[in-house]
Amino acid sequence: MTIDGFTAIYLFTLAAFTGYEVISRVPVILHTPLMSGSNFIHGLVLAGAIIALGHATTTTEIIIGFVSVLLATGNAVGGYVVTVRMLEMFKSKSNEGDNHA
Amino acid sequence: MRDIIIQIIYFAASILFILGLKRMSSPKTATSGIQWAGIGMLLAIVVTFLYPDLHNFGLILLAITIGTVVAWIAAKKVAMTEMPEMIALYNGMGGGAAAAIAAVELFKLSSGSVETMTLTTFVLAIIGGLIGAVSFSGSVLAFFKLRDWLKNIYFPMQQIINLSVLAAAILFGIMFFFWHSPVVCILFFAASLAYGVLMTMSIGGADMPVVIALYNAFTGLAVACEGFVMNNVAMIIAGTIVGSSGTLLTLLMAKAMNRSITNVIFTKFGGGGNGAAVEGTTKSMEIDDAAVMLNFVSKVIFIPGYGMAVAQAQQKVWELASLLLDKGVDVKFAIHPVAGRMPGHMNVLLAEAGVPYDYIADMEEINNDFASTDIVIVLGANDVVNPAARTDKTSPIYGMPILNADQAKQIFVIKRGKGKGYAGIENLLFFNDKCRMVYGDAKQVMAKMIQTLKEQE
């Protein structure tokens, strides 16, 4: 499947509206986990990095491709773990309930 | 057949990302939201291995293994107070990865392994490379600055030099289209990386949260651009969603500070304008005396800031607040939108300490309550309570909405030393007659107050 310029513009525009709408009603308390969560989602750059390294032929390309996969993995894995850790604190809090209310 | 499987999985992953992000927008469903997005990611990455003509599998798996182990350990070990710089760092890595993808594709042009590239693909590769590289070096620098390993750096003609470097990067990019020399390509990336460093160097103070949000959006855009270059729909969608949601978050932050994005990037915050000199003196108070006064109050508001994060005082703060709640005192936590160094930074810390939502209030909710409050306890917050933002037109923070701490009957400011806030300006609140400075590390001060209060029971 090849994406031509116009299809890309459609994709880009519709995805941009989706991202904007999905986020627009987020409470302030979730801003940091949310930024961290969206940070995880662009970790999908790993897919591109795998393809780039997988198609690399010269030494230069292989070295840069390797760095790319390494960095992208860091983005995806680190972003996920950090987000889950932050969100878990919100969860435990609501379970404990209001013992002072 | 393979292609159909890949596209179906990518489509499913894109849906999971959108639904996951949606679920992350409510505290109740947030944890499941990141899990949905995680499943989407796992599916998309696994199916990517089905791409035709892939080589170097050993290297790919090696890089993934090293990256996973290092990032996993670092992410598990990092303290909650250090979250902002960690997010900045992981975000920078994503930008770096996008720039590296652009570099691989562009080098193929100069080595001759790829003959031509369409103009659209080339332009998007260059734009993604530029933005990704800026996000990478900028985020790494932001990481250093948040760690306090680096201070703001200013030099003459800063903006002109910065913009010249950016213009040079764009020029090298255009040049490369006509002349596929590896040297030009290297110069393009060098200039892009340099611009990221230069751009972040002069941004400091309370502007940091805005910058981290901005680089998050940048990386998203870079990933979307490289998604087109790699002919990968899932990357385009994931990158664009982050690009637009990150932009929205950036605008919300900037709005909360009453500053425009261009202002944040091109104007120095603090350091330059100092505001009017303040006359008068500050009055300090011993910890014990301050604690005793807490026995005679009916309404207390805590204003946490970066000082609370540094001192890791959130547990002790909640312990003191619980003690007051047991005495029947009305306790609230007032959160300024840009308190700390990241949107929602204080909310995360208070959540870690187990403070229920009901006690946490936004600036708009609580700003009218200060006048009827007996004691406001400012914990390592500074610029967000500075009344100069309302009155002093020469102050660099003039116009920024602040918490009306100065309207309370009594103000305690808990602070490590007499230093100025992150914006580098004097705080008029500290010179207020109703204000008492309680010097000390926030955690130790809280512990001492708790001890004093308990001894008196």
Side-chain angles (χ1 to χ4, degrees):
Chain A
M1 183 170 130
T2 8
I3 313 157
D4 65 44
F6 270 108
T7 317
I9 291 173
Y10 276 112
L11 273 177
F12 185 80
T13 312
L14 294 175
F17 277 114
T18 309
Y20 192 93
E21 281 303 316
V22 164
I23 294 304
S24 58
R25 276 175 283 276
V26 169
V28 180
I29 55 161
L30 284 171
H31 274 178
T32 299
L34 181 83
M35 192 189 292
S36 182
S38 63
N39 179 31
F40 162 69
I41 288 173
H42 66 50
L44 189 68
V45 68
L46 179 55
I50 290 171
I51 301 165
L53 178 54
H55 288 168
T57 43
T58 66
T59 319
T60 321
E61 287 167 23
I62 290 178
I63 293 172
I64 305 172
F66 187 83
V67 172
S68 181
V69 175
L70 201 65
L71 289 175
T73 311
N75 180 182
V77 174
Y80 184 80
V81 176
V82 161
T83 311
V84 167
R85 275 189 58 193
M86 267 190 278
L87 290 175
E88 267 170 3
M89 291 174 327
F90 285 96
K91 209 168 88 180
S92 66
K93 189 177 66 177
S94 48
N95 289 348
E96 278 168 26
D98 302 347
N99 32 6
H100 290 285
Chain B
M1 185 60 201
R2 266 190 187 189
D3 194 43
I4 292 175
I5 296 174
I6 293 174
Q7 297 311 332
I8 290 173
I9 297 290
Y10 274 176
F11 182 72
S14 306
I15 300 289
L16 283 169
F17 286 152
I18 295 169
L19 292 178
L21 208 56
K22 177 84 200 158
R23 294 182 78 83
M24 268 187 255
S25 61
S26 155
K28 284 198 181 82
T29 52
T31 312
S32 68
I34 183 74
Q35 283 162 353
W36 287 32
I39 293 167
M41 179 74 71
L42 203 64
L43 287 173
I45 297 304
V46 170
V47 85
T48 300
F49 282 93
L50 287 180
Y51 252 70
D53 309 321
L54 286 190
H55 307 284
N56 307 322
F57 279 112
L59 284 173
I60 295 175
L61 292 176
L62 179 68
I64 291 180
T65 312
I66 299 174
T68 304
V69 171
V70 174
W72 187 282
I73 294 174
K76 280 281 178 194
K77 270 175 64 176
V78 63
M80 277 302 146
T81 43
E82 288 163 349
M83 271 317 167
E85 54 251 52
M86 234 31 210
I87 294 172
L89 194 62
Y90 290 133
N91 174 52
M93 290 169 119
I101 292 172
V104 171
E105 296 305 306
L106 293 171
F107 270 117
K108 278 182 185 162
L109 277 180
S110 53
S111 72
S113 61
V114 169
E115 296 280 306
T116 50
M117 217 181 232
T118 64
L119 180 64
T120 320
T121 311
F122 181 84
V123 170
L124 287 175
I126 288 286
I127 293 175
L130 173 70
I131 300 174
V134 168
S135 173
F136 173 69
S137 59
S139 298
V140 170
L141 204 77
F143 172 80
F144 285 144
K145 288 176 88 169
L146 286 166
R147 278 270 156 118
D148 277 332
W149 291 347
L150 264 180
K151 292 275 160 225
N152 296 350
I153 299 163
Y154 302 105
F155 48 83
M157 315 230 301
Q158 195 156 18
Q159 290 313 327
I160 295 168
I161 292 170
N162 289 5
L163 288 176
S164 312
V165 173
L166 177 63
I170 295 169
L171 221 59
F172 285 130
I174 296 170
M175 220 166 117
F176 187 73
F177 183 72
F178 298 104
W179 181 35
H180 299 332
S181 152
V183 179
V184 177
C185 192
I186 291 169
L187 285 172
F188 163 71
F189 281 106
S192 305
L193 289 170
Y195 180 67
V197 171
L198 288 168
M199 178 179 156
T200 322
M201 211 141 82
S202 59
I203 303 171
D207 284 344
M208 237 358 153
V210 185
V211 177
I212 295 177
L214 186 68
Y215 285 146
N216 190 37
F218 273 19
T219 303
L221 281 180
V223 171
C225 289
E226 300 313 324
F228 184 82
V229 175
M230 304 307 286
N231 203 15
N232 189 308
V233 194
M235 267 171 81
I236 299 181
I237 293 175
T240 308
I241 289 173
V242 177
S244 71
S245 61
T247 305
L248 177 61
L249 208 54
T250 312
L251 292 172
L252 286 176
M253 282 294 95
K255 198 176 147 209
M257 299 173 66
N258 204 15
R259 282 163 71 71
S260 70
I261 299 289
T262 45
N263 229 332
V264 168
I265 299 170
F266 297 114
T267 318
K268 38 181 164 173
F269 192 104
N274 291 320
V278 184
E279 288 180 13
T281 50
T282 58
K283 297 164 201 72
S284 64
M285 186 181 242
E286 291 304 315
I287 300 171
D288 291 342
D289 299 336
V292 169
M293 290 183 70
L294 288 174
N295 276 322
F296 312 106
V297 292
S298 56
K299 189 171 177 184
V300 170
I301 295 178
F302 288 90
I303 301 178
Y306 191 65
M308 182 184 86
V310 172
Q312 302 264 15
Q314 59 272 25
Q315 308 280 356
K316 287 285 167 201
V317 173
W318 176 229
E319 208 179 308
L320 178 65
S322 307
L323 209 61
L324 294 172
L325 283 165
D326 288 341
K327 289 173 184 287
V329 179
D330 178 7
V331 174
K332 283 279 183 316
F333 292 86
I335 313 281
H336 190 275
V338 294
R341 295 201 182 162
M342 173 146 231
H345 191 185
M346 290 303 123
N347 301 88
V348 171
L349 294 180
L350 293 178
E352 187 193 15
V355 181
Y357 303 123
D358 306 354
Y359 299 118
I360 301 175
D362 292 345
M363 179 166 67
E364 282 151 20
E365 284 173 53
I366 203 161
N367 244 355
N368 294 328
D369 291 5
F370 281 102
S372 62
T373 301
D374 298 307
I375 292 182
V376 165
I377 301 179
V378 180
L379 285 150
N382 196 334
D383 301 324
V384 298
V385 290
N386 191 347
R390 281 198 299 256
T391 53
D392 180 3
K393 283 192 176 144
T394 63
S395 173
I397 61 166
Y398 180 73
M400 179 172 99
I402 56 159
L403 288 164
N404 299 330
D406 56 329
Q407 293 173 357
K409 290 168 195 152
Q410 173 91 55
I411 305 128
F412 291 156
V413 176
I414 294 160
K415 226 168 152 297
R416 269 183 302 178
K418 299 192 180 180
K420 293 171 185 173
Y422 209 52
I425 45 174
E426 289 287 2
N427 193 333
L428 287 182
L429 180 71
F430 302 167
F431 297 90
N432 191 315
D433 280 340
K434 297 181 291 188
C435 180
R436 294 290 177 273
M437 309 298 290
V438 182
Y439 290 112
D441 172 87
K443 191 174 179 177
Q444 285 160 12
V445 172
M446 286 297 113
K448 193 113 189 276
M449 281 186 169
I450 294 165
Q451 195 192 347
T452 311
L453 278 178
K454 279 187 175 160
E455 277 167 6
Q456 287 174 346
E457 276 173 0

